[in-house]
Amino acid sequence: MSTENYQPETLAVHAGTVRSQFGEHSEAMFLTSSFVFENAAQAAARFIGEQPGNIYARFTNPTVTMFEERLAALEGAEQCVATASGMSAILACVMGVLKAGDHVVASQSLFGATVNLFNNIIKKFGVETTYVSATDVSAWQAAVRPNTKLFFLETPSNPLTEISDIAAIAKVAKACGALLAVDNCFCTPILQRPLELGADIVIHSATKYIDGQGRVLGGAVLGSKKMMEPVYGFLRTAGPTMSAFNAWVFLKGLETLKLRMDAHSANALGLARWLEQQPNVARVFYPGLPSHPQHALAMRQQKTGGGIVAFEVASSQGSGKEAAWRVIDHTALLSITANLGDTKTTITHPASTTHARISPEARAAAGVTDGLIRIAVGLEAVVDIQNDLARGLK
Ligand SMILES: *Cc1c(COP(=O)(O)O)cnc(C)c1O
């Protein structure tokens, strides 16, 4: 399908669809690990790449290809490579574009497993990473070395919703010959399109908003055909590919992504405004609030503030941790779990869960205080979410 003249809502429903001989309306799920050839000559032509077509599901699968085409259309990317999880998308990206001796400059506000990947795995292969402030563009410039090959960030960050200026950081990357990769998990292409702002690579954990109902794991790497060639090469050889079943779930997830992102965002804004009015809330972090330090940048770069809200319970309520745990333990509707991007609202205490393994000093430097709570706002009525939190805040 030519995707040029359609709006995102339309692309999300139609892009990438290929029908089989049966003319099915809903996308088919091809549960097959290999594909049959008409004769030996065709098999040979497929294997040496003379003839396009499917060979084996570690290389390609028609359901996975439909998902890749649809997400590529939404991000405005030439090519998308689907992966088994968000983490394998990041692994495929770094294995594709880096080699021993390269240097990475990364935001210090990254998903925990991403930090572990850079510090404990990629480092073993001779790639060093320097962490800098997500919000200070001059710090990215100052961290550049002659061998810097990749800049890596996610925006908004987790859990404090810091906003990195993608266009400004892309300029710094370009000037020093490095690539910029943006983990676009929190915004999805519905709210933010990093490639249009100058990024070279977009990463997704499809597990979150793209599925939208907390069912399956998946990920994606997107960029130019040339840049995706070694990323796909890694995947085809090493094998953390997306399954056909998961691709089918994500195809259906993309169809409602615009509606869900709008609803998550409206609920999150309603909850953030209400939290700002609560006497026992010391501080609210939400890019859609005028009180957010990068509100103007967020409103330029993203369509809405997104679905993630963080807040600090006032310390007059005893120790920060006690006060935060009291709020969490008085909820009945909200799910105490670290997942996000689900229809069901989730609540977490970052200091004792997602950020528990880092030192108290590093946690303080990252702004993750003991009183901090993160909410991934779902699709329930916002008044019910507010009432659920009000009990513990009293
Ligand atoms: C969850 C998440 C990941 C990792 O994705 P998985 O699908 O769990 O492997 C990466 N980045 C961000 C921002 C995430 O929230």
Side-chain angles (χ1 to χ4, degrees):
M1 188 186 99
S2 155
T3 56
E4 260 135 64
N5 297 317
Y6 292 113
Q7 297 296 313
E9 299 89 314
T10 311
L11 294 174
V13 175
H14 289 283
T17 303
V18 175
R19 300 210 163 91
S20 80
Q21 58 175 327
F22 300 111
E24 68 282 353
H25 191 210
S26 176
E27 293 73 9
M29 195 199 301
F30 290 92
L31 291 181
T32 180
S33 45
S34 76
F35 298 83
V36 177
F37 310 109
E38 281 167 21
N39 48 49
Q42 189 186 49
R46 290 261 176 98
F47 267 87
I48 61 168
E50 231 170 41
Q51 189 195 85
N54 298 295
I55 299 172
Y56 187 59
R58 175 152 40 78
F59 309 165
T60 56
N61 172 286
T63 312
V64 176
T65 304
M66 285 191 264
F67 166 73
E68 289 171 332
E69 295 286 324
R70 189 168 291 179
L71 187 58
L74 286 167
E75 284 286 5
E78 262 179 28
Q79 201 179 336
C80 170
V81 179
T83 59
S85 66
M87 286 319 301
S88 53
I90 299 173
L91 177 67
C93 169
V94 298
M95 293 303 265
V97 307
L98 299 178
K99 61 177 190 323
D102 286 342
H103 173 244
V104 178
V105 181
S107 163
Q108 64 194 10
S109 310
L110 287 183
F111 186 66
T114 309
V115 176
N116 287 341
L117 182 76
F118 284 127
N119 289 354
N120 303 330
I121 298 175
I122 301 306
K123 190 163 184 246
K124 286 199 299 187
F125 298 92
V127 174
E128 269 192 54
T129 304
T130 305
Y131 296 95
V132 296
S133 156
T135 56
D136 179 1
V137 179
S138 65
W140 291 75
Q141 176 75 63
V144 170
R145 299 179 191 169
N147 57 338
T148 302
K149 188 73 182 291
L150 179 70
F151 281 18
F152 194 100
L153 64 86
E154 60 191 61
T155 178
S157 74
N158 180 28
L160 292 174
T161 71
E162 293 166 289
I163 307 293
S164 295
D165 188 334
I166 298 173
I169 294 171
K171 264 199 197 118
V172 175
K174 204 142 282 158
C176 70
L179 302 172
L180 172 61
V182 175
D183 182 335
N184 201 25
C185 170
F186 274 31
C187 275
T188 82
I190 297 299
L191 303 186
Q192 171 173 284
R193 306 219 305 167
L195 297 176
E196 280 176 359
L197 297 167
D200 301 287
I201 297 169
V202 168
I203 305 268
H204 276 288
S205 167
T207 313
K208 312 294 168 50
Y209 289 106
I210 292 178
D211 173 358
Q213 298 180 48
R215 297 164 294 191
V216 297
L217 294 187
V221 192
L222 301 102
S224 69
K225 278 204 165 73
K226 186 162 173 279
M227 208 166 303
M228 289 306 106
E229 209 177 288
V231 174
Y232 171 68
F234 168 77
L235 215 78
R236 174 185 164 121
T237 304
T241 43
M242 180 179 283
S243 77
F245 178 82
N246 290 10
W248 180 83
V249 173
F250 294 133
L251 275 164
K252 297 293 115 185
L254 285 176
E255 292 178 6
T256 57
L257 186 60
K258 168 78 164 62
L259 291 174
R260 287 186 287 106
M261 290 316 288
D262 287 350
H264 283 296
S265 303
N267 264 1
L269 182 60
L271 181 67
R273 283 183 176 147
W274 175 84
L275 283 166
E276 267 197 328
Q277 306 300 316
Q278 303 310 304
N280 290 328
V281 171
R283 201 169 159 197
V284 182
F285 303 86
Y286 183 66
L289 288 177
S291 60
H292 189 284
Q294 292 113 18
H295 176 65
L297 168 62
M299 293 300 98
R300 245 188 354 261
Q301 188 166 277
Q302 312 173 192
K303 288 216 169 66
T304 70
I308 309 292
V309 179
F311 66 98
E312 253 166 33
V313 185
S315 56
S316 60
Q317 300 286 292
S319 94
K321 181 179 140 180
E322 263 173 47
W325 281 24
R326 184 161 50 238
V327 172
I328 292 170
D329 289 340
H330 277 82
T331 61
L333 181 69
L334 274 46
S335 311
I336 306 171
T337 174
N339 197 28
L340 62 96
D342 198 301
T343 52
K344 300 178 178 75
T345 297
T346 67
I347 185 165
T348 34
H349 181 240
S352 60
T353 59
T354 52
H355 293 65
R357 282 156 177 263
I358 62 174
S359 68
E361 297 75 40
R363 217 160 39 230
V368 177
T369 60
D370 285 349
L372 190 76
I373 288 176
R374 188 202 74 188
I375 311 261
V377 185
L379 303 183
E380 303 93 339
V382 69
V383 65
D384 291 328
I385 302 169
Q386 290 162 354
N387 288 340
D388 212 41
L389 290 168
R391 226 173 297 122
L393 280 170
K394 276 200 190 110

